[in-house]
Amino acid sequence: CSMVLEENVIVNSAEFSKNANGTSSVNGQFVGEYCTTPFSSWGGPGQSYISGSSKDLTIAKGKQKIKWLATQLSLDSHFIDAAHRLFVLAVQRNFIQGRKTINVIAACLYIVCRRERAPRLLLDFSEVLQTNVFTLGSTFLKFRRLLNIQVPVIEPTHYIERFAAKLEFEGKELEVAVTARKIANRMKKDWIQTGRRPEGICGAALIVAARMHGFRRTQSEVVEVMRICEQTLKNRLMEFEQTASSSLTMEEFMKIDLPEESNPPSLLQAEKNVEAEKLLLDQPSETETT
């Protein structure tokens, strides 16, 4: 529906010229994609400096840091471009004021990972940057509220294959992962996944799936890979044990999808507490027995 009439390349290669004092300098100026003023280079022999506005320099340096962080997390180039666009908005809104630039960059890249459903946790960013995960989480939440960014809810099933590979199931990682994914989906249907971190759901699903396929993985091994508390893993296993699906055999579980849903674990625990209080009230006191 349209045609390009003219296309000009402003600068295709860097050109240098010698000054009267014998020093070399770059001809022209560099204009970045998001720059409001051009960059210019200057300096004496063996030296090179770049001048430009403060925001332009921050944006240029920010993209380099985004590339470095994406490389550390094995992310593709389109993650870099999308995160850079968010970082530009952060600079324009002065969100980086009073915050570490690398934390803002991590928040931008994490938002892209959530949108693209890439299996990267905020804890992965924390380990690479050696930064408190709660600090990164706070920056992520504030930046998301500032721009009103909607991100999809974390699905534990996206991380199961990654954790299954780390547990080493002797070439049967895919089979164990398929079973664990089905267990995780069942947990979601039985309200166990709601409000819970994905690592705990993945850990419980993988340890059950491993035993269904004949692999004995201890809770300590799973906890080390998932980087969660052992009590968290025990709680998820106990909650799954209270569902009707836990009483099925492996063949029945893989073929039958029970239509009924189990009550949420919080409701089951509340019912147990009410029953325990009734038992205490029904017991005769010491004065009555005497």
Side-chain angles (χ1 to χ4, degrees), residues 123-149:
L123 192 60
D124 299 328
F125 289 81
S126 175
E127 287 188 349
V128 172
L129 301 177
Q130 294 297 302
T131 306
N132 190 315
V133 67
F134 295 103
T135 302
L136 294 180
S138 176
T139 305
F140 158 70
L141 292 175
K142 291 178 181 177
F143 185 56
R144 192 185 68 172
R145 284 195 295 266
L146 175 67
L147 300 181
N148 194 23
I149 298 175

Side-chain angles (χ1 to χ4, degrees), residues 171-187:
K172 294 186 177 181
E173 287 82 6
L174 182 59
E175 298 177 12
V176 176
V178 170
T179 305
R181 193 179 298 113
K182 186 174 179 62
I183 295 172
N185 289 330
R186 187 65 220 186
M187 287 182 172

Side-chain angles (χ1 to χ4, degrees), residues 187-197 201 239 264-265:
M187 287 182 172
K188 181 179 181 180
K189 192 173 183 179
D190 290 331
W191 298 90
I192 299 176
Q193 178 180 327
T194 305
R196 304 289 169 66
R197 291 176 58 186
I201 301 298
E239 291 167 357

Side-chain angles (χ1 to χ4, degrees), residues 124-252:
D124 299 328
F125 289 81
S126 175
E127 287 188 349
V128 172
L129 301 177
Q130 294 297 302
T131 306
N132 190 315
V133 67
F134 295 103
T135 302
L136 294 180
S138 176
T139 305
F140 158 70
L141 292 175
K142 291 178 181 177
F143 185 56
R144 192 185 68 172
R145 284 195 295 266
L146 175 67
L147 300 181
N148 194 23
I149 298 175
Q150 302 297 325
V151 294
V153 179
I154 298 177
E155 286 290 339
T157 52
H158 296 159
Y159 303 89
I160 284 180
E161 291 186 1
R162 167 188 169 183
F163 291 129
K166 291 184 178 181
L167 288 172
E168 299 179 356
F169 291 110
E170 301 176 5
K172 294 186 177 181
E173 287 82 6
L174 182 59
E175 298 177 12
V176 176
V178 170
T179 305
R181 193 179 298 113
K182 186 174 179 62
I183 295 172
N185 289 330
R186 187 65 220 186
M187 287 182 172
K188 181 179 181 180
K189 192 173 183 179
D190 290 331
W191 298 90
I192 299 176
Q193 178 180 327
T194 305
R196 304 289 169 66
R197 291 176 58 186
E199 299 95 321
I201 301 298
C202 292
L206 279 171
I207 196 170
V208 173
R211 292 177 181 177
M212 290 173 67
H213 286 272
F215 295 99
R216 303 296 298 179
R217 294 293 180 269
T218 64
Q219 293 186 10
S220 300
E221 293 174 341
V222 176
V223 164
E224 184 178 356
V225 171
M226 300 296 169
R227 296 168 293 186
I228 57 176
C229 176
E230 189 170 351
Q231 187 61 43
T232 300
L233 180 61
K234 290 181 179 179
N235 291 341
R236 300 295 87 79
L237 291 172
M238 290 174 60
E239 291 167 357
F240 181 69
E241 188 179 1
Q242 296 174 357
T243 64
S245 300
S246 63
S247 60
L248 300 176
T249 63
M250 179 178 176
E251 291 76 14
E252 292 174 342

